[in-house]
Amino acid sequence: MKSLFKGVLAAAALAVSAIGFGPAEAQTPPGVLVVGQIAEPKSLDPAAVTAVNDFRILMNVYDGLVRYKDGTLEVEPALAKSWTISDDGTVYTFSLRDGVTFHDGTPFNAEAVKYNFDRMLDEDHPEHDTGPFPLSFFFSAVEEVEVVDDLTVKFQLNAPYAPFLSNLAYPTGLIVSPTAVREGGADYGRNPVGTGPFKFAEWESNAKVVVVRNDDYWEDPAKLEAVVFRPITDANTRVAELMAGGIDLMVEVPPDSLTQLSGDDNFSVYEQAGPHLWFLILNLKEGPFKDKKVRQAINYAIDKKALVENVLQGTAEIATGPTPPAFAWAYNEQLQPYPHDVEKAKQLIKEAGAEGAEVVFYVTEGGSGMLDPVPMGAAIQADLAQIGLTVAIETYEWNTFLGKVNPGLEGKADMAEMAWMTNDPDTLPYLALRTDAWPDKGGFNSGYYSNPEVDKLLEAARSSTDQAERAKLYREMQEIVYDDAPWAFIANWKQNAVSSTLVDGFKLQPSFFLLLDDVVKN
Amino acid sequence: MHVYILRRLILMVPVLLGLTVIVFLIMSMIPGDPALAILGSYATPENVAKLRADLGLDKTMVEQYWIWLTNMLQGDFGRSYSLNRPVLDEILERFGATLILAGTSLVLCTIFGLLTGVISAVRQYGWADKALTFAVLIGISVPSFWLGLLLMMFFAVELRWLPVSGMYAIYGGGDLPDLIRHLILPSITLAVVATGIIARLTRSNMLEVLRQDFIRTARAKGLDENRVIYRHAFKAALVNVIPVIGVQAGFVLGGAVYIETVFQWPGIGRMLVNAISTRDILLVQGGVVLVAGSYVLFNLFADVIQHLLDPRVKA
């Protein structure tokens, strides 16, 4: 008995000494940045992905013709040195940077640009089957891409389309190496080749994606030798890895941990408001929300301050209207968020004769940009109970939820949670507020809002290439939508990240991208 | 003997076939559309319909099942939507990781469960018994994912003795000691509940056996106490404990789903959870078929071994 016990102890001691415990564990080497990602990337083919998680890697491997200027959502040259836009706004001619090559040695030129867009948009293209390309509609205005000469490429649009440049700066517009796509076929997404500051080196499933510095980068080479992206799906584990030194930088820190880490000298906390809107879609076709007064009442009744401060613990700001303030140039600063005013809400409900109405509320369990949807839904339910509305919550898992909401709320629900992250002030209102964007017409206006004035403003804004003119139109649109209240405007999310203090030069971008070429690790 | 094995092998065919039907039916009953999962929030009904056609989801269930089954019989499990790589590659890679974790846990819970049970029984009502019974009770009651986080915070974050997560170090790792260091926390966490169950059962079986006549006889013959306990009593008790260890093997595999998520172990459990949430039907179907298929195979092995040891056991 005793000898057996001793034997086990001895074996355990031996094992321990053989493995070698030691506090040296989990130190990442200098010059290599380890980033904790929220999930395994789906693919590293920029045309094929939709998730911010994947964009964070892509932006370091690829360049687009244009990009967002540091810290803004304004477009500046990248692989294109300059461009001209025809007076009618339908022809964009880009002159390309000379002497740039892809990581595999393929020269970057007009042919390569044409190849990229043909692959995405032309169903007969030999490599079109490397898709699907879920965001290719960003470029649906493109009629034809024409090679003028080796370093000049011309995009012919079927109508003026102002968001075109900003869509080119989005990951869907990043330029991939044609040779690599031809060789890789369906596997290209796991063997990506771009022109960016980092070259793809390795993708070990479920463990890491490694990119190394591209010394031949057309701009100043990156300061880091390499970046390792580690998928760590469990948020608590991600925080534990950061605290143990297993990763240097993590994004999407849970609110609780953010509070804890911001009080710790070993870590730097970053926050940045992004172009995100969390809102409630209201059903205008039937039920109590047909009446504008009831919709406004909802906006008054919801205690948005309590939501962003208590439920979201300060990780979001109160939203005002359909356009997030991150689109500074197009945002209407005259508008103030609907104040929390229960009396006013009650009065509006009374005027509308909607006292004691019962509404069905679709809530999701999670999903892209949805923050903390279940507690938020419950808090909103409680707020609406205060003005005498009975809210029946129906909770669905994200995919099921989208399957119910996107085809329209008619006959099913009176309101639904939703969140969008976009790159241009055009995207959300154009796809979700126009009459022509009702679900039966292929849009995302699931609440059937319709205002001819808004329709006109949005169409005009998208075909104008003058930014000041567009800004004016968007501001006007916001005023109308604010008053019509087809949605309850709730919150704009502040993205966050935490790094160890060894990391220097890191900045969050309003685009939600992770740009690492200027980051230093000591 | 050969006839027996052959008969068992032939019997496996309808079992596996039934399994594929059940897996297929369950996956088609889960709400949510893979096309929506791929296209994300930007999915217009039109694009969804197009992608569904491309993926063959607009075919009838019978057609879909037939295509899936015939492809699978030729070794083609399809391509994962969410990972954009062949299902079989992904599953085989993951399955190995799960076997390492679950296998280690099974060894741990067997050794420590038996040891604890025997000590408790031999020292019935002594302080060792009381302490161990208390520990076992805690082990059984504590939720594994919580225990996992607790161990992680203490041994990995505070003391920094062991890695927080993953299967190998990001740098310079990859050898056996590296694997073992990464295995310690998850395998212990995973083994705790099963250890408790095995310990309880061993204790009660041992107590029962120790009261029996043949033990009294052995002692009366003047045998050494260690010999009485290990040669006679333990052996007799083990007969009843072994089937339970077999059952625990199943639980350990099931529990691996949580543990793999907490410790980011790249196993099949974590893969299945992700695949279900992204509606990656082919990946789920393939994964379940392979896991369940290997259960059937393990069962066959066990039965054959039992049959070899004791011919009275019939198929």
Side-chain angles (χ1 to χ4, degrees):
Chain A
M1 172 82 213
K2 275 189 178 135
S3 60
L4 180 70
F5 203 58
K6 271 184 201 156
V8 171
L9 277 181
L14 199 72
V16 166
S17 59
I19 303 157
F21 285 115
E25 176 59 36
Q27 285 309 318
T28 57
V32 177
L33 186 79
V34 185
V35 180
Q37 284 271 79
I38 56 169
E40 176 100 351
K42 181 175 175 249
S43 162
L44 294 177
D45 179 348
V49 298
T50 60
V52 175
N53 181 61
D54 304 359
F55 295 167
R56 290 186 179 124
I57 304 177
L58 294 176
M59 293 310 291
N60 296 292
V61 177
Y62 295 95
D63 294 303
L65 292 178
V66 296
R67 65 183 176 198
Y68 298 121
K69 206 181 284 176
D70 187 27
T72 73
L73 286 168
E74 281 163 52
V75 170
E76 69 173 11
L79 287 179
K81 281 189 303 193
S82 62
W83 56 88
T84 54
I85 306 170
S86 67
D87 288 340
D88 65 352
T90 61
V91 183
Y92 284 67
T93 312
F94 295 88
S95 35
L96 307 180
R97 205 168 286 280
D98 196 3
V100 177
T101 50
F102 289 98
H103 303 148
D104 62 354
T106 308
F108 164 76
N109 53 27
E111 278 296 342
V113 175
K114 179 176 166 56
Y115 177 91
N116 268 266
F117 289 89
D118 286 354
R119 172 174 81 117
M120 225 187 312
L121 302 170
D122 176 6
E123 291 188 9
D124 300 324
H125 190 272
E127 274 87 47
H128 187 70
D129 60 358
T130 51
F133 307 114
L135 300 182
S136 59
F137 69 83
F138 273 21
F139 301 110
S140 52
V142 175
E143 191 107 313
E144 204 197 345
V145 185
E146 195 188 315
V147 175
V148 178
D149 59 47
D150 202 35
L151 293 175
T152 313
V153 66
K154 201 158 95 180
F155 287 73
Q156 176 72 52
L157 310 188
N158 54 22
Y161 178 56
F164 182 58
L165 282 175
S166 115
N167 286 351
L168 281 176
Y170 207 62
T172 318
L174 293 173
I175 305 294
V176 307
S177 157
T179 324
V181 177
R182 281 189 202 112
E183 279 169 10
D187 289 322
Y188 172 74
R190 290 186 79 91
N191 303 283
V193 178
T195 57
F198 292 94
K199 291 191 275 197
F200 170 76
E202 187 193 0
W203 179 344
E204 193 187 307
S205 278
N206 318 304
K208 60 184 171 185
V209 172
V210 183
V211 298
V212 297
R213 178 170 55 212
N214 171 15
D215 288 315
D216 301 323
Y217 192 48
W218 55 270
E219 248 186 340
D220 291 338
K223 300 185 174 73
L224 292 163
E225 270 167 53
V227 183
V228 180
F229 295 91
R230 280 189 65 188
I232 306 176
T233 42
D234 189 89
N236 291 316
T237 310
R238 213 154 60 236
V239 174
E241 276 288 10
L242 183 76
M243 288 165 67
I247 55 176
D248 305 306
L249 173 71
M250 74 175 275
V251 291
E252 299 195 24
V253 188
D256 284 330
S257 309
L258 199 66
T259 320
Q260 182 197 348
L261 291 169
S262 55
D264 189 325
D265 289 344
N266 296 313
F267 301 102
S268 317
V269 173
Y270 312 85
E271 280 188 300
Q272 151 89 253
H276 166 276
L277 178 66
W278 199 104
F279 58 101
L280 301 178
I281 302 172
L282 306 177
N283 182 350
L284 275 64
K285 206 166 204 177
E286 60 198 0
F289 298 134
K290 273 171 81 173
D291 192 324
K292 179 162 124 182
K293 285 184 177 145
V294 184
R295 302 198 298 267
Q296 289 177 334
I298 300 277
N299 273 290
Y300 283 117
I302 296 171
D303 187 354
K304 286 157 283 206
K305 188 156 180 272
L307 279 172
V308 300
E309 283 179 7
N310 303 334
V311 179
L312 300 175
Q313 300 189 45
T315 55
E317 280 161 3
I318 296 174
T320 304
T323 303
F327 296 117
W329 62 270
Y331 178 70
N332 189 333
E333 290 183 354
Q334 306 296 316
L335 297 174
Q336 291 302 317
Y338 275 89
H340 180 224
D341 188 339
V342 178
E343 287 317 310
K344 175 120 188 186
K346 276 184 182 162
Q347 192 201 326
L348 284 166
I349 291 276
K350 200 170 165 192
E351 283 171 26
E355 294 136 306
E358 290 175 15
V359 290
V360 174
F361 181 17
Y362 278 175
V363 168
T364 177
E365 284 165 8
S368 172
M370 293 305 298
L371 310 180
D372 216 351
V374 174
M376 289 173 80
I380 289 169
Q381 182 187 37
D383 284 340
L384 298 190
Q386 287 207 328
I387 58 165
L389 294 188
T390 311
V391 177
I393 287 185
E394 288 182 23
T395 311
Y396 297 98
E397 179 277 332
W398 181 234
N399 277 300
T400 317
F401 181 84
L402 286 180
K404 285 189 169 278
V405 174
N406 283 357
L409 296 181
E410 189 180 4
K412 292 181 288 194
D414 301 289
M415 55 190 212
E417 300 180 334
M418 190 45 75
W420 279 61
M421 278 185 257
T422 56
N423 65 314
D424 191 278
D426 170 76
T427 318
L428 175 60
Y430 194 83
L431 291 177
L433 283 174
R434 273 177 322 133
T435 314
D436 278 343
W438 283 25
D440 55 338
K441 295 171 187 130
F444 297 91
N445 189 347
S446 309
Y448 316 97
Y449 175 57
S450 173
N451 184 323
E453 200 55 36
V454 170
D455 294 348
K456 224 185 304 168
L457 288 168
L458 287 172
E459 291 293 353
R462 123 171 322 215
S463 45
S464 162
T465 45
D466 175 11
Q467 184 162 307
E469 171 70 16
R470 284 182 75 198
K472 192 175 142 274
L473 297 166
Y474 286 128
R475 291 200 184 107
E476 223 173 296
M477 175 276 295
Q478 287 163 61
E479 270 170 41
I480 301 172
V481 173
Y482 176 92
D483 183 62
D484 279 344
W487 297 340
F489 314 104
I490 309 291
N492 302 119
W493 180 45
K494 286 190 283 185
Q495 57 171 335
N496 64 50
V498 176
S499 76
S500 85
T501 36
L502 298 176
V503 176
D504 232 356
F506 175 72
K507 260 161 93 183
L508 285 169
Q509 298 292 332
S511 54
F512 290 108
F513 304 154
L514 211 55
L515 305 180
L516 299 172
D517 42 340
D518 285 333
V519 173
V520 180
K521 193 177 138 196
N522 303 312
Chain B
M1 190 65 212
H2 294 302
V3 178
Y4 170 76
I5 295 178
L6 196 71
R7 208 176 64 212
R8 286 294 309 260
L9 280 174
I10 293 171
L11 260 172
M12 268 178 71
V13 175
V15 171
L16 285 176
L17 215 59
L19 183 84
T20 59
V21 173
I22 293 172
V23 171
F24 185 82
L25 281 179
I26 291 179
M27 276 319 284
S28 52
M29 278 189 296
I30 293 183
D33 188 333
L36 263 177
I38 296 171
L39 296 172
S41 357
Y42 291 103
T44 61
E46 188 188 332
N47 284 344
V48 171
K50 190 166 163 287
L51 184 57
R52 287 180 62 89
D54 289 349
L55 296 174
L57 292 167
D58 55 346
K59 294 195 168 68
T60 65
M61 295 255 297
V62 177
E63 278 178 296
Q64 286 186 50
Y65 173 73
W66 183 247
I67 292 170
W68 175 57
L69 187 71
T70 47
N71 282 342
M72 202 162 55
L73 289 175
Q74 296 162 36
D76 175 11
F77 281 64
R79 213 179 161 83
S80 150
Y81 314 142
S82 62
L83 302 167
N84 194 22
R85 80 189 282 236
V87 165
L88 195 61
D89 291 5
E90 179 72 13
I91 290 173
L92 292 179
E93 206 179 285
R94 298 290 200 118
F95 199 47
T98 295
L99 284 185
I100 292 175
L101 175 61
T104 311
S105 297
L106 199 63
V107 170
L108 287 179
C109 70
T110 307
I111 293 177
F112 288 101
L114 291 176
L115 202 66
T116 315
V118 172
I119 296 174
S120 275
V122 174
R123 303 278 160 84
Q124 195 188 6
Y125 304 134
W127 67 265
D129 180 29
K130 282 178 188 152
L132 287 175
T133 307
F134 183 66
V136 162
L137 187 71
I138 289 185
I140 293 178
S141 336
V142 161
S144 308
F145 62 91
W146 183 78
L147 178 71
L149 276 178
L150 210 68
L151 291 178
M152 185 194 285
M153 286 318 281
F154 190 67
F155 289 103
V157 176
E158 285 301 319
L159 297 174
R160 296 203 176 188
W161 282 1
L162 291 166
V164 175
S165 66
M167 187 162 164
Y168 291 106
I170 290 288
Y171 306 98
D175 50 1
L176 189 64
D178 183 39
L179 175 63
I180 294 174
R181 290 188 319 136
H182 282 80
L183 250 176
I184 294 176
L185 292 181
S187 62
I188 289 179
T189 313
L190 185 51
V192 162
V193 174
T195 305
I197 291 169
I198 293 171
R200 272 189 168 181
L201 203 82
T202 311
R203 181 179 182 270
S204 61
N205 272 302
M206 277 295 284
L207 287 174
E208 204 172 302
V209 172
L210 284 172
R211 277 188 220 110
Q212 282 177 17
D213 291 343
F214 76 99
I215 297 292
R216 206 169 304 145
T217 314
R219 281 185 177 141
K221 279 197 303 188
L223 272 185
D224 171 40
E225 181 66 17
N226 269 343
R227 227 178 136 79
V228 172
I229 289 171
Y230 290 105
R231 282 288 159 83
H232 293 74
F234 183 61
K235 248 189 187 169
L238 207 56
V239 174
N240 288 327
V241 178
I242 281 192
V244 174
I245 295 177
V247 174
Q248 290 309 311
F251 278 112
V252 164
L253 261 180
V257 173
Y258 303 110
I259 303 304
E260 284 177 3
T261 305
V262 171
F263 288 98
Q264 297 298 303
W265 193 263
I268 202 129
R270 208 179 111 205
M271 180 202 85
L272 283 174
V273 171
N274 289 342
I276 289 171
S277 67
T278 52
R279 294 294 177 275
D280 199 334
I281 294 185
L282 289 176
L283 195 56
V284 178
Q285 288 178 174
V288 174
V289 165
L290 222 80
V291 172
S294 50
Y295 267 129
V296 177
L297 263 182
F298 287 148
N299 246 315
L300 175 68
F301 280 136
D303 286 356
V304 168
I305 290 169
Q306 211 178 2
H307 184 78
L308 283 175
L309 292 176
D310 185 353
R312 282 175 305 172
V313 179
K314 285 270 173 350

